[in-house]
């Protein structure tokens, strides 16, 4: 009773506005930003329906209608799920990954079984499907069948069932009521007696020659006393067969590809590529499910649950339910981007934009459909041909840039189709030679306009670069376009573009046989309408001409001191004085030195740095091609973090892009396996105190994370005391935020009470006070 009375009294001391802040993930925690629309497998687990995507796992709880995601953040060991299955005997969910790694979920624990993944096996190690029987899970693999003991949590046996004990790609497995195992493979159907003590001997597995042995059978099941198998043809004209003493063709009237067969609760569920059929025990069709509200159907797997509801894992609409009694259809999916591709990312305030388009290392287009994925820190909106039919036919959006003066307006640079303008997610304009100063590929089709990037400068003007033309740079001021011809460009490929505080435009150049340079820099000297004072230079790895480490530039960023940080295949270089680039004696790029143990070396000298982003505290986040992501101090001499796929939830060690939410400090990492974010300690500061508040506030019992104070002036000095004035913390804000771990200066957890936060600028001329309630 005393605690509740204390809580009521101290709550009166906390300003009401502190309770109205939007929920945020705690500092130091991760959040996945993965696609949940592409579902490939589904399983019933009690009152939960689990569905997998190639990237993660989630389940729908029928008791409370909630959806819960399970990813590497929650403890999965890998990414790239190929299929799942539930073993009722051991109450185990088996999760198979595309690389043959395995996870088991038992009693709320995740157990990794990596034997197949680690074992050197020549050929195909893919796990195509999982068949649960007794306490075992039979894994149908590209080389044979692996038996997993779910009680002992270990591999029991491996069956190589091909002729002479050779490998054969096993797609599916089932046991009939006569204890015969039937294996559907890419080379016909094999069978063996389930109780044979030597199933590991290939000789006990016989190919059934009563049915075509030359083609693939991709799925098989046992239903109503009958083995049902699908013969899969590359032409798409699949054929279903039934065995009850003899094989016979089952003419369902359908010739579409069959994705999967499942039998349970007295019904047979046939998943075709565009619809699902449900049959009773007499093989009479009960239902055909061939469309969902507002979308087409693309099933990958389907089951029937104990309530006679059909659950469909769909590759476009996520998890779908179909009530057999009412024909009611519902879709269940978590908000996310359409795909895991993240060629580039950009942010403005709470808005994150991801583009999957792009080009390869030789600047050859990747033929990715024109799409933009927008996250507003709460929900995803995907711009594609589905909601913008005029986008059909366009490909390769390489970057998306929001207009700082009107964030509802977004510009998309395309590698071949000019510049696209969107307003509130709707395509409103396409800029080409007909209505702008953008220019086409000089050596090819006049319709090819390869825009490498778009950026807004400090004046609010927009700069756009084009490739394979010397008329390669354009300036957009409102509706006014100005074109610039840079003859030294020599019609090369231009990519990422950066506009710095010195009215310079930096452009990434393709390094190669026809161009020995890495960066093109241009300035109009603040007079865009006077070409007579325009200047341009090319930078490379030679001393006196840039001295960039390496030859190929993959990333560029301007920090808060105006320095230009450049990432190459040989680490990082910094232009500390870019303002003197066009002087008589311009400064070359320098390589920061960092202490690694007892050794001093150049910053990431053995890494390819694909992405650089600067946070609110001027620290540098760097994404590498094979070493994960690093955070370095503002000067690059001290390593703060190094996240890899092994020591963190990072999805992959190949980081392709990085963006930072300046308001929350959340850092987004685009990898070759999807996007994931980390809540960092630094936010963007300002010249004056804003809406200063702490979160979480109140700090509840058992909370172990950081407590953050936001809305501070840049690099504010902060003191925290108890109500009696005893100092418990002192520190400096990282950008516009300071973090406190809830302990005293001696490292002891603070007692329940109200704590006062005093913040001031470096001179003490600006001050602010707020409060934090801690309950222990």
């Amino acid at each position: 009773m005393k605690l509740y009375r204390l809580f009521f009294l101290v709550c009166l001391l906390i300003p009401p506005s502190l309770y109205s802040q939007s929920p945020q993930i705690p500092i130091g925690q991760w959040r996945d930003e993965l696609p949940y629309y592409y579902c490939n497998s589904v399983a019933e687990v009690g009152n939960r329906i689990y569905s997998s995507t190639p990237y993660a796992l989630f389940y729908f709880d029928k008791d409370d209608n909630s959806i819960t995601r399970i990813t590497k953040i929650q403890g999965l060991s890998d990414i790239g799920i190929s299929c799942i299955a539930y073993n009722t005997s051991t109450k185990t969910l088996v999760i198979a990954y595309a690389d043959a790694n395995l996870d088991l979920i038992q009693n709320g624990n995740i157990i990794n079984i990596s034997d197949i993944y680690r074992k050197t096996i020549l050929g195909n190690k893919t796990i195509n499907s999982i068949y649960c029987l007794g306490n075992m899970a039979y894994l149908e693999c590209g080389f044979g069948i692996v038996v997993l003991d779910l009680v002992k949590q270990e591999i029991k046996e491996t069956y190589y069932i091909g002729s002479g004990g050779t490998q054969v790609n096993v797609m599916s497995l089932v046991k009939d009521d006569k204890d015969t195992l039937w294996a559907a493979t890419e080379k016909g159907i094999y069978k063996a007696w389930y109780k044979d003590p030597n199933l590991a001997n290939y000789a006990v597995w016989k190919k059934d020659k009563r049915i075509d042995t030359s083609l693939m059978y991709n799925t098989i099941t046992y239903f109503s006393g009958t083995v049902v198998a699908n013969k899969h043809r590359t032409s798409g004209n699949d054929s279903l067969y039934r065995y009850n003493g003899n094989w016979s063709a089952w003419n369902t009237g359908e010739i579409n590809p069959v994705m999967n067969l499942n039998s349970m609760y007295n019904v047979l569920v046939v998943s075709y590529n565009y619809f699902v059929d449900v049959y009773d025990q007499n093989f009479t069709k009960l239902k055909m499910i061939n469309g969902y509200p507002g979308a087409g159907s693309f099933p990958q797997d389907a089951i029937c649950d104990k309530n006679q509801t059909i659950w469909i894992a769909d590759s476009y609409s996520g998890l779908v339910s179909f009530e057999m009694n009412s024909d009611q259809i519902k879709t269940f999916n978590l908000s996310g981007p359409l795909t895991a591709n993240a060629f580039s990312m950009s942010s403005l305030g709470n808005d994150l934009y991801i583009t999957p388009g792009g080009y390869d290392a030789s600047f050859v287009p990747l033929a990715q459909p024109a799409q933009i994925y927008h996250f507003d820190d709460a929900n995803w909106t995907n711009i594609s041909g589905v909601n913008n039919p005029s986008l059909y036919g366009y490909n390769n959006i390489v970057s998306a840039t929001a207009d700082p003066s009107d964030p509802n307006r977004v510009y998309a640079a395309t590698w071949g189709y000019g510049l696209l303008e969107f307003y509130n997610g709707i395509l409103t304009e396409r800029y080409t030679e007909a209505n702008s100063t953008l220019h086409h590929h000089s050596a090819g089709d006049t319709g090819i306009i390869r825009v490498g990037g778009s950026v807004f400068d400090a004046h609010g003007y927009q700069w756009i670069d084009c490739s394979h033309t010397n008329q390669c740079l354009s300036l957009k001021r409102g509706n006014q376009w100005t074109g610039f011809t840079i003859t030294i460009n020599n019609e090369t490929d231009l990519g990422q573009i950066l506009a710095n505080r010195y009215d310079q435009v930096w452009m990434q150049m393709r390094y190669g046989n026809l161009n020995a340079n890495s960066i093109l820099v241009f300035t109009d000297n603040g007079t865009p309408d006077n070409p007579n004072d325009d200047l341009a230079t090319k930078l490379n790895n030679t001393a006196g001409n840039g001295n960039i480490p390496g030859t190929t530039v993959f990333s560029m960023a301007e920090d808060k001191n105006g320095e230009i940080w450049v990432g190459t295949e040989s680490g990082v270089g910094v232009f500390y004085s870019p303002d003197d680039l066009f002087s008589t004696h311009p400064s070359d790029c320098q390589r920061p030195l960092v202490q690694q143990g007892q050794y001093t070396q150049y910053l990431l000298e053995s890494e390819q740095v694909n992405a650089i982003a600067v946070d609110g505290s001027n620290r540098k986040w760097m994404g590498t091609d094979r070493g994960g992501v690093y955070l370095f101090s503002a000067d690059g001499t001290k390593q703060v973090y190094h996240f890899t796929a092994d020591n963190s939830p990072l999805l992959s060690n190949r980081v392709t892009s990085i963006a930072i939410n300046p308001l929350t400090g959340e850092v987004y990492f685009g990898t070759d396996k999807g996007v994931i974010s980390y809540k960092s300690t630094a936010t963007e500061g300002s010249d004056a105190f804003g809406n200063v508040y702490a979160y979480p506030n109140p700090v509840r019992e058992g909370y172990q994370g950081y407590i953050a104070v936001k809305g501070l002036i840049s690099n504010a000095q902060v003191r925290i005391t108890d109500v009696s004035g005893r100092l418990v913390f002192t520190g400096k804000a990282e950008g516009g935020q300071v973090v406190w771990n809830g302990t005293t200066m001696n490292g002891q957890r603070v007692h329940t009470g109200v704590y006062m936060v005093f913040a001031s600028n470096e001179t003490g001329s600006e001050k602010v006070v707020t409060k934090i309630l801690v309950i222990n």
Side-chain angles (χ1 to χ4, degrees):
M1 179 64 72
K2 292 181 179 179
L3 178 61
Y4 285 109
R5 184 178 302 144
L6 173 63
F7 175 76
F8 175 76
L9 291 173
V10 294
C11 280
L12 296 177
L13 303 175
I14 307 295
S17 62
L18 297 189
Y19 296 102
S20 62
Q21 306 299 332
S22 59
Q24 302 181 45
I25 63 170
I27 290 173
Q29 291 199 12
W30 296 74
R31 178 167 65 177
D32 76 272
E33 312 297 351
L34 294 168
Y36 285 92
Y37 298 99
Y38 191 117
C39 291
N40 57 14
S41 190
V42 62
E44 180 186 24
V45 182
N47 284 332
R48 294 176 178 175
I49 302 296
Y50 280 77
S51 186
S52 64
T53 77
Y55 317 102
L57 180 73
F58 69 96
Y59 65 82
F60 172 71
D61 193 318
K62 291 185 282 187
D63 290 334
D64 59 11
N65 293 323
S66 64
I67 300 178
T68 302
R69 66 183 72 191
I70 305 174
T71 69
K72 283 191 70 178
I73 298 171
Q74 287 74 38
L76 293 184
S77 61
D78 212 335
I79 190 170
I81 300 174
S82 60
C83 55
I84 61 174
Y86 183 65
N87 183 287
T88 55
S89 298
T90 61
K91 297 183 179 179
T92 304
L93 184 70
V94 185
I95 305 164
Y97 297 94
D99 59 7
N101 205 354
L102 290 165
D103 277 340
L104 310 179
I105 299 183
Q106 291 181 344
N107 301 318
N109 299 313
I110 300 176
I111 302 102
N112 179 237
I113 309 291
S114 60
D115 301 55
I116 309 174
Y117 168 71
R118 290 184 289 105
K119 187 174 181 179
T120 302
I121 299 174
L122 296 177
N124 181 9
K125 294 204 305 184
T126 302
I127 300 174
N128 299 306
S129 63
I130 306 166
Y131 179 62
C132 293
L133 186 60
N135 293 333
M136 306 295 168
Y138 292 76
L139 314 174
E140 292 75 67
C141 303
F143 55 86
I145 301 170
V146 175
V147 184
L148 175 62
D149 188 323
L150 297 176
V151 175
K152 296 182 179 180
Q153 301 171 359
E154 63 183 23
I155 301 296
K156 180 183 178 183
E157 290 181 299
T158 299
Y159 306 154
Y160 292 92
I161 68 174
S163 176
T166 57
Q167 294 185 5
V168 64
N169 189 11
V170 182
M171 305 300 298
S172 183
L173 184 73
V174 75
K175 184 182 80 71
D176 66 16
D177 61 359
K178 296 180 177 61
D179 288 331
T180 299
L181 288 171
W182 300 81
T185 80
E186 67 176 354
K187 296 180 179 179
I189 294 177
Y190 289 77
K191 62 178 184 174
W193 186 44
Y194 168 61
K195 295 183 179 180
D196 193 306
N198 197 19
L199 284 171
N201 181 3
Y202 70 89
V204 306
W205 291 86
K206 306 296 183 183
K207 182 180 284 191
D208 194 335
K209 296 182 179 180
R210 296 168 296 179
I211 193 170
D212 191 344
T213 62
S214 63
L215 293 178
M216 173 187 284
Y217 293 81
N218 67 326
T219 179
I220 194 168
T221 193
Y222 185 70
F223 175 69
S224 190
T226 304
V227 177
V228 184
N230 179 67
K231 181 164 64 175
H232 179 68
R233 293 181 175 90
T234 55
S235 64
N237 297 323
D238 284 11
S239 301
L240 285 167
Y241 287 83
R242 297 189 303 190
Y243 177 84
N244 191 357
N246 290 292
W247 287 105
S248 61
W250 178 24
N251 184 10
T252 63
E254 311 290 355
I255 59 173
N256 286 56
V258 174
M259 310 304 291
N260 215 345
L261 296 168
N262 279 305
S263 57
M264 66 282 289
Y265 301 112
N266 298 319
V267 297
L268 173 65
V269 185
V270 183
S271 302
Y272 290 92
N273 59 339
Y274 293 127
F275 54 92
V276 173
D277 282 346
V278 184
Y279 294 86
D280 66 14
Q281 289 184 299
N282 295 318
F283 290 93
T284 300
K285 187 186 294 186
L286 297 174
K287 298 288 182 181
M288 181 180 185
I289 310 166
N290 62 349
Y292 320 134
S297 49
F298 303 92
Q300 301 297 307
D301 189 20
I303 63 171
C304 180
D305 73 6
K306 58 190 174 186
N307 299 318
Q308 294 293 291
T309 298
I310 305 299
W311 293 88
I312 304 168
D314 192 272
S315 63
Y316 186 83
S317 297
L319 180 64
V320 180
S321 71
F322 177 83
E323 300 286 347
M324 293 274 282
N325 296 328
S326 64
D327 291 352
Q328 184 179 14
I329 298 177
K330 296 180 181 178
T331 58
F332 305 83
N333 57 59
L334 295 163
S335 179
L338 282 180
T339 73
N341 299 327
F343 182 80
S344 74
M345 297 194 297
S346 65
S347 63
L348 179 66
N350 278 325
D351 294 306
L352 171 73
Y353 295 93
I354 302 175
T355 58
Y359 42 78
D360 63 16
S362 299
F363 282 61
V364 175
L366 295 178
Q368 291 282 347
Q371 296 176 347
I372 301 174
Y373 314 140
H374 172 215
F375 183 55
D376 64 3
D377 202 39
N379 298 294
W380 285 91
T381 302
N382 295 304
I383 302 171
S384 68
V386 174
N387 48 27
N388 279 264
S390 53
L391 274 178
Y392 282 121
Y394 299 155
N395 293 322
N396 301 319
I397 294 179
V398 298
S399 68
T401 309
D403 185 342
S405 65
D406 186 353
N408 293 317
R409 180 173 285 106
V410 176
Y411 293 90
T414 74
W415 197 244
Y417 303 90
L419 183 72
L420 308 179
E421 179 180 341
F422 296 85
Y423 197 79
N424 287 329
I426 301 300
L427 179 62
T428 57
E429 189 66 77
R430 176 188 172 211
Y431 294 102
T432 64
E433 286 182 325
N435 58 356
S436 73
T437 56
L438 301 179
H439 276 270
H440 67 270
H441 193 299
S442 61
D445 189 336
T446 57
I448 298 177
I449 300 177
R450 292 184 175 178
V451 179
S454 164
V455 67
F456 284 87
D457 65 18
H459 309 290
Y461 302 151
Q462 185 180 11
W463 294 88
I464 308 102
D465 64 7
C466 286
S467 290
H468 283 268
T469 174
N470 286 337
Q471 296 170 298
C472 58
L473 188 61
S474 293
L475 173 63
K476 185 176 183 294
R477 293 171 287 176
N479 294 322
Q480 178 185 352
W481 286 79
T482 304
F484 299 90
T485 299
I486 307 176
T487 56
I488 65 170
N489 178 41
N490 291 332
E491 300 182 353
T492 58
D493 283 309
L494 299 177
Q496 179 189 353
I497 184 171
L498 180 155
N500 70 2
R501 67 186 63 187
Y502 301 112
D503 290 329
Q504 297 170 349
V505 179
W506 292 56
M507 291 162 277
Q508 171 199 15
M509 301 186 78
R510 177 191 174 194
Y511 177 87
N513 294 332
L514 300 179
N515 174 53
N517 300 283
S518 303
I519 298 175
L520 174 66
V521 185
F522 171 85
T523 180
D524 63 6
N525 274 309
T527 59
D529 298 317
N530 177 16
N532 296 321
D533 60 355
D534 294 352
L535 297 172
T537 187
K538 292 186 290 189
L539 306 175
N540 56 37
N541 62 347
T542 60
N545 199 43
N547 201 31
I548 298 170
T551 57
T552 305
V553 169
F554 293 94
S555 52
M556 300 183 296
E558 181 186 22
D559 75 4
K560 297 188 178 303
N561 297 324
E563 300 164 357
I564 304 295
W565 291 65
V566 177
T568 76
E569 83 280 11
S570 299
V572 178
V574 185
F575 287 91
Y576 290 107
S577 303
D579 53 320
D580 72 4
L581 196 61
F582 294 101
S583 66
T584 306
H585 301 289
S587 301
D588 270 346
C589 184
Q590 304 295 316
R591 304 179 72 177
L593 291 169
V594 62
Q595 189 76 24
Q596 296 284 357
Q598 297 180 349
Y599 302 95
T600 301
Q601 62 186 34
Y602 289 123
L603 182 60
L604 298 180
E605 63 178 332
S606 61
E607 297 282 1
Q608 176 177 307
V609 180
N610 292 332
I612 302 175
V614 180
D615 71 12
S617 192
N618 205 28
R619 301 178 303 179
K620 279 66 179 185
W621 290 90
M622 300 183 184
T624 69
D625 202 57
R626 60 176 185 235
V629 66
Y630 294 80
L631 173 64
F632 289 99
S633 59
D635 61 4
T637 62
K638 180 181 178 182
Q639 178 180 305
V640 182
Y641 298 135
H642 179 203
F643 296 133
T644 69
D646 295 324
N647 68 14
S648 75
L650 189 68
L651 302 175
S652 168
N653 286 331
R654 184 168 188 264
V655 179
T656 58
S657 51
I658 300 176
I660 300 175
N661 183 323
L663 304 180
T664 67
E666 194 165 2
V667 187
Y668 298 91
F669 308 116
T671 77
D672 59 343
K673 294 184 178 179
V675 178
I676 193 167
S677 67
Y678 174 78
K679 188 65 169 292
S680 184
T681 55
T683 64
E684 200 69 27
S686 63
D687 296 332
F689 288 108
N691 179 25
V692 178
Y693 68 94
Y695 80 94
N697 195 11
V699 182
R700 303 287 183 179
E701 306 94 321
Y703 179 75
Q704 298 296 321
Y706 284 109
I707 304 158
V709 180
K710 298 191 63 174
L712 301 175
I713 204 168
S714 293
N715 304 317
Q717 302 293 326
V718 178
R719 294 182 302 115
I720 301 177
T721 72
D722 60 19
V723 290
S724 66
R726 184 171 65 95
L727 184 67
V728 297
F729 170 84
T730 181
K732 184 178 180 181
E734 294 180 345
Q737 175 174 270
V738 71
V739 296
W740 172 44
N741 63 3
T743 65
T744 66
M745 305 287 281
N746 295 324
Q748 302 297 315
R749 190 72 178 172
V750 297
H751 299 297
T752 295
V754 174
Y755 291 82
M756 312 298 295
V757 181
F758 302 91
S760 65
N761 61 2
E762 293 180 348
T763 64
S765 59
E766 298 285 340
K767 299 178 181 180
V768 71
V769 180
T770 190
K771 303 180 182 73
I772 305 172
L773 169 61
V774 179
I775 304 171
N776 280 323

